[in-house]
Amino acid sequence: MSSPAEWYKSLPPVTKFYGTACLACTVACQIGLLTPYDFAYIPRLVFYNFQVHKLFTTLFFLGKFSINFGIRLLMIARYGVQLESISFQGRTADFLWMMIFGAFSLLVLAIIPLLQSPFLGISLVFMLLYVWSREFPNASINLYGLVNLKAFYLPWAMLCLDVIFGSPIIPDLLGIIAGHLYYFLTVLHPLSTGRNILKTPQWVHKLVRRSRYFTPVQSSSRADRTDPVFRGRSYRLGG
C-alpha cells in the first residue's frame, strides 16, 4: 500500500492542482486569513468595483470544514482523478480545457437572476461528476450504503440528497447544466454533425507542453480521433 505522499504524488496534474487549491482556500478561511466574502462571486462588485479576483476565487471555495466539504473533496479525488486518468489519459490539455470551459460557463450562468450563486466551487465539482457519469454510465455506485444505482443517475441522486439535507440546489444545477453543455458540444454534437465546435485551443496545448508542472503528453481533441467507442447511451469519438 502506498503512503499518502506517494498517493498524492501519483495524482494527475490538473485534478491535483484543483483539489489542493480548494483545500488551501478552505484552510485559509477556517483559520481567519480570508473570509467567505473574499471568495464570493458578486457580478456587481466584479464589473463595477473591479474586484476581478472574484472571477477566480469563487471557483476554488467549497465552504468551511464540514461533512459537505469532505464529500465534495472526495468527489474530486475519485471522479475527477478517474476522469483525468482514464477518459482523458494522455490528453491533459483537453482536460484542462474542459475545466476552463466549465468555469467560464458557470460564471456566465451565475449572472442569470434565477441561477445566481456566489460560490461556484461546488458547481465545478458537480460538472466533473456529471461528465464522469456520462463517461462511465454503467458503473455501479453504492450511495452511502443505502442504494445501488448506475453512475448515469448519480448527479441527480446527489442533487436529491442535497434537497433532503437542506443544502442549496442552485450550485448543483449549475454544475449539471455546464457539464451537459460540455458533453453536448464535444460528444453529442460532433456525433450528429461530424464537426467539433469546441476543440481545445492551441494556446492550451502550448501551456501544457511548456509548463514544467504538467507531464509532457501527446494531447489530441476527441473529434480528431477516429476510433469510435461505445460508452453507455451514446457513441463517442475517441476514448
Side-chain angles (χ1 to χ4, degrees):
M1 182 179 295
S2 61
S3 67
E6 292 173 335
W7 172 81
Y8 179 78
K9 188 176 180 179
S10 70
L11 295 176
V14 179
T15 307
K16 177 165 64 176
F17 173 82
Y18 183 64
T20 303
C22 289
L23 177 60
C25 288
T26 293
V27 170
C29 188
Q30 196 73 32
I31 65 178
L33 290 178
L34 298 170
T35 67
Y37 177 81
D38 296 315
F39 299 96
Y41 173 54
I42 304 173
R44 175 177 53 82
L45 297 180
V46 172
F47 299 113
Y48 294 101
N49 290 10
F50 302 105
Q51 296 184 15
V52 182
H53 66 279
K54 291 180 179 291
L55 291 171
F56 305 96
T57 57
T58 184
L59 299 165
F60 296 95
F61 188 61
L62 301 179
K64 290 189 174 183
F65 286 126
S66 64
I67 293 178
N68 281 338
F69 167 80
I71 291 174
R72 305 310 180 198
L73 204 61
L74 287 174
M75 288 167 66
I76 297 174
R78 178 175 181 180
Y79 306 121
V81 167
Q82 193 172 15
L83 196 59
E84 185 175 358
S85 300
I86 299 177
S87 298
F88 287 84
Q89 183 180 18
R91 297 189 294 132
T92 302
D94 294 338
F95 187 80
L96 178 60
W97 174 239
M98 181 193 73
M99 296 289 286
I100 294 172
F101 174 80
F104 178 78
S105 300
L106 291 171
L107 290 169
V108 173
L109 288 169
I111 297 177
I112 301 173
L114 292 177
L115 296 177
Q116 286 182 352
S117 177
F119 305 112
L120 298 177
I122 293 175
S123 301
L124 193 55
V125 173
F126 235 81
M127 178 198 167
L128 284 175
L129 174 64
Y130 184 89
V131 176
W132 177 87
S133 72
R134 268 49 193 169
E135 292 292 319
F136 305 93
N138 294 316
S140 180
I141 300 295
N142 183 275
L143 196 61
Y144 300 137
L146 299 175
V147 62
N148 290 315
L149 71 160
K150 289 188 175 181
F152 187 87
Y153 304 105
L154 183 58
W156 301 106
M158 294 296 293
L159 185 146
C160 290
L161 284 176
D162 279 346
V163 172
I164 293 172
F165 293 142
S167 300
I169 66 170
I170 293 299
D172 298 358
L173 285 174
L174 286 172
I176 289 175
I177 294 171
H180 185 74
L181 181 61
Y182 173 82
Y183 194 74
F184 173 79
L185 292 175
T186 59
V187 178
L188 303 181
H189 183 267
L191 286 171
S192 62
T193 65
R195 295 185 299 110
N196 185 357
I197 61 176
L198 195 64
K199 291 183 179 180
T200 304
Q202 284 303 312
W203 64 267
V204 180
H205 288 281
K206 291 179 180 178
L207 175 64
V208 170
R209 286 196 300 265
R210 294 176 180 177
S211 174
R212 293 183 178 180
Y213 176 74
F214 299 107
T215 302
V217 293
Q218 194 72 26
S219 181
S220 62
S221 179
R222 65 182 79 205
D224 294 333
R225 302 176 62 146
T226 57
D227 53 330
V229 178
F230 184 70
R231 289 187 183 272
R233 300 190 175 198
S234 64
Y235 284 93
R236 171 181 179 75
L237 299 182

